[in-house]
Amino acid sequence: MNRSVAVGLFVLIGFALFTAGLFLIGNRHEAFQKHLTLYTEFADLSGLAKGSKVEVGGMDAGRIEEISIPNSPSSKFRVRFRIIDTFRGLVRKDSVASITTAGLVGDTYLSVGPGSSASPSAVPNSTLGSKEPIELADLVGQAKGTIADVDETVKNANGLLTSVGGNLNVTLGTARGTLIDVDDVVGGLKRGEGPAGMLLHDPEVASSIRRTIANTEQVTSSLRITADQTNALVNDVSSRSIPQKIDDVLVSVRDAASNLDSTTKAVQTTIAELTQPDEHGVAAGVNLRDAISNVSTATGNMAEDSEALKHNLLTRGFFRKRGYYTLTNISPAVYRRDRLSASPGNHRSWLGTDQLFHQASNGTEELSSAGKELIDQELAKYGDAVVSHPIMVEGYSAGTNTVEKIETSRARAILVRNYILSRFHLESMSVGAVALDDQPPKGAGRTTWNGVSIVLLSRAR
């Protein structure tokens, strides 16, 4: 019995260790986690292989699952990889995948850069933009060419400096010969040889000769300093790390060109997605135009239906109580029949044409400054009621031609309505304008008028 128990415990412990090892190995290879599958494409893999790791933002996030070989030189290797679902928030549509090497001789892996916050998250099985790898051999070759050019430049500079040094040596030799000649002349002068020797007794001449000798020595010293500076210039050019600086500039230019290429591809992909046809083969522009047309038709139908409900016998009371009744498009016939137009509780201001308008330079009527002040004075009498009650501007014209009376009365009503709206900042639906020719509604207190009547309605319509 004890032996059976020991065997059982041994089997259980072995099974537990096997399960724990399986779990650890699966967890190591992310076998029990949810993944997001994505694609990218490269013209050159640079050693990237199936099973290579994938990093997102510098952190291990997944593995390369498969690499599809292109069927033509113009095509690219299509790389399928997966990442842990927790990195989904970092991978966006504008994320760029690149092939990176750990150090100079380390393993090659796929690096995915986090996208921008404004871009949507990458959907499963979508293709990310890529950045082609930069081969070290190409950089070394370019660096060798650059170094060769710099070496040639330094050689030319050395030749030029050698030539300058030779010319300086000739000049120095000439200067030395001149000094020797000057010494001979001075010696002769001191010995009193020739007529010039007599000048030695003249203090001014002796002083002038001394200054000439001092200046000659100064010129010689300056020539030596110039030669030393030239040699220092040659040494400085040779000691500077010019090849390394030029190589850094080339790498920066190459990276900028690669980023521009990735951006161009992303823009092209977005345009292609927006303009591609739907499942029925209809272009995106046609679908957008049809959608706008349908929305316009629907809103027009809704406006017509709501307007019909406003005038329906059963529902117009509901709209009147809730302020849905608008005065902006009421017709003269409906306005004359409405009992509110001639209600005794209305406040009316009768303003004549000569009080409100004057003729503009183009021959049309416009509100005068005195007319605007008169309108302000009339509405100021009603206080807060101007804001809480609807206002109707009735336009009148005393002309003989019916068409002319309609046009003139309407133009006058609209001019005054627009001024009231802008002056008192009222809602457009609560201020109306109606053209009534020259005949006010029955019960308004007048049988004819030429000008405008501002009516403050006694209750909400």
Side-chain angles (χ1 to χ4, degrees):
M1 183 65 180
N2 293 334
R3 184 176 182 179
S4 300
V5 173
V7 171
L9 290 175
F10 178 77
V11 172
L12 289 175
I13 293 173
F15 181 74
L17 291 175
F18 175 77
T19 303
L22 181 63
F23 178 79
L24 291 175
I25 294 173
N27 188 48
R28 175 67 177 175
H29 293 276
E30 304 151 359
F32 303 108
Q33 299 188 24
K34 188 177 179 181
H35 293 84
L36 172 66
T37 301
L38 298 169
Y39 292 86
T40 189
E41 296 179 345
F42 293 99
D44 188 352
L45 293 178
S46 295
L48 189 69
K50 181 178 178 180
S52 298
K53 70 175 181 178
V54 178
E55 288 189 358
V56 176
M59 185 175 180
D60 289 348
R63 297 288 171 181
I64 302 294
E65 289 187 329
E66 185 181 353
I67 299 177
S68 300
I69 300 175
N71 53 10
S72 65
S74 59
S75 302
K76 295 184 177 181
F77 292 92
R78 186 168 178 81
V79 179
R80 185 182 73 189
F81 63 95
R82 67 177 188 175
I83 61 173
I84 302 174
D85 192 67
T86 53
F87 289 89
R88 181 189 293 267
L90 294 178
V91 182
R92 303 301 178 100
K93 274 191 173 183
D94 60 353
S95 293
V96 177
S98 59
I99 298 175
T100 308
T101 303
L104 294 176
V105 293
D107 294 336
T108 301
Y109 61 93
L110 184 68
S111 176
V112 179
S116 61
S117 300
S119 179
S121 298
V123 298
N125 298 318
S126 61
T127 301
L128 299 182
S130 62
K131 176 182 176 182
E132 293 295 335
I134 300 175
E135 292 294 340
L136 182 60
D138 296 338
L139 294 178
V140 172
Q142 293 182 1
K144 288 180 179 178
T146 303
I147 292 173
D149 294 339
V150 173
D151 288 340
E152 186 65 25
T153 303
V154 172
K155 290 179 181 178
N156 294 334
N158 287 333
L160 178 61
L161 292 174
T162 301
S163 177
V164 172
N167 294 333
L168 289 175
N169 290 330
V170 173
T171 303
L172 290 174
T174 303
R176 292 191 186 97
T178 303
L179 290 175
I180 293 173
D181 294 338
V182 170
D183 289 338
D184 294 339
V185 172
V186 171
L189 291 174
K190 288 181 178 180
R191 292 190 299 270
E193 297 176 353
M198 298 175 61
L199 298 176
L200 288 175
H201 299 285
D202 190 343
E204 294 182 0
V205 174
S207 178
S208 177
I209 293 174
R210 293 190 187 96
R211 286 196 299 270
T212 302
I213 294 173
N215 292 335
T216 303
E217 292 176 350
Q218 184 177 0
V219 170
T220 303
S221 177
S222 299
L223 289 174
R224 291 193 184 96
I225 292 173
T226 303
D228 293 339
Q229 291 177 348
T230 303
N231 292 329
L233 176 62
V234 173
N235 294 331
D236 183 63
V237 171
S238 300
S239 63
R240 291 181 183 271
S241 55
I242 295 177
Q244 180 62 36
K245 294 180 180 179
I246 295 177
D247 183 63
D248 293 341
V249 172
L250 287 175
V251 172
S252 299
V253 172
R254 188 177 295 103
D255 290 342
S258 178
N259 292 334
L260 179 61
D261 180 65
S262 299
T263 303
T264 303
K265 289 181 179 179
V267 172
Q268 292 175 349
T269 301
T270 303
I271 294 174
E273 291 177 355
L274 291 176
T275 57
Q276 64 183 359
D278 59 11
E279 63 272 11
H280 302 293
V282 181
V286 176
N287 288 331
L288 182 60
R289 184 171 59 251
D290 292 343
I292 294 174
S293 177
N294 293 335
V295 171
S296 177
T297 303
T299 53
N301 293 336
M302 291 177 63
E304 293 176 359
D305 294 341
S306 61
E307 190 65 26
L309 289 173
K310 292 176 186 177
H311 299 283
N312 186 275
L313 180 63
L314 299 177
T315 58
R316 64 185 179 182
F318 171 82
F319 284 97
R320 285 181 178 179
K321 290 180 181 179
R322 286 155 180 79
Y324 290 109
Y325 203 104
T326 177
L327 300 176
T328 54
N329 296 318
I330 190 169
S331 65
V334 173
Y335 180 74
R336 291 179 188 277
R337 292 196 303 268
D338 199 316
R339 64 179 183 272
L340 290 180
S341 61
S343 174
N346 295 341
H347 299 285
R348 283 183 173 270
S349 297
W350 297 94
L351 307 177
T353 302
D354 54 347
Q355 295 176 291
L356 294 178
F357 306 103
H358 67 85
Q359 193 171 24
S361 58
N362 58 1
T364 60
E365 287 184 338
E366 65 179 12
L367 275 172
S368 62
S369 300
K372 294 178 181 179
E373 293 179 0
L374 182 60
I375 294 173
D376 294 345
Q377 294 173 6
E378 291 295 323
L379 292 181
K381 296 177 182 178
Y382 309 130
D384 294 339
V386 175
V387 180
S388 60
H389 287 66
I391 298 175
M392 177 62 74
V393 180
E394 301 172 349
Y396 298 97
S397 175
T400 57
N401 187 300
T402 303
V403 176
E404 181 180 352
K405 287 195 296 183
I406 293 174
E407 292 179 351
T408 304
S409 60
R410 180 171 179 78
R412 290 172 177 175
I414 291 175
L415 282 174
V416 176
R417 174 183 180 269
N418 291 342
Y419 174 73
I420 293 175
L421 286 174
S422 62
R423 182 71 174 85
F424 296 94
H425 303 288
L426 303 177
E427 295 183 1
S428 60
M429 64 180 296
S430 64
V431 181
V434 61
L436 299 180
D437 301 340
D438 60 348
Q439 298 180 1
K442 294 180 180 180
R446 294 178 185 268
T447 58
T448 184
W449 187 245
N450 184 28
V452 166
S453 177
I454 301 176
V455 185
L456 191 70
L457 300 179
S458 59
R459 62 183 178 87
R461 300 186 64 83

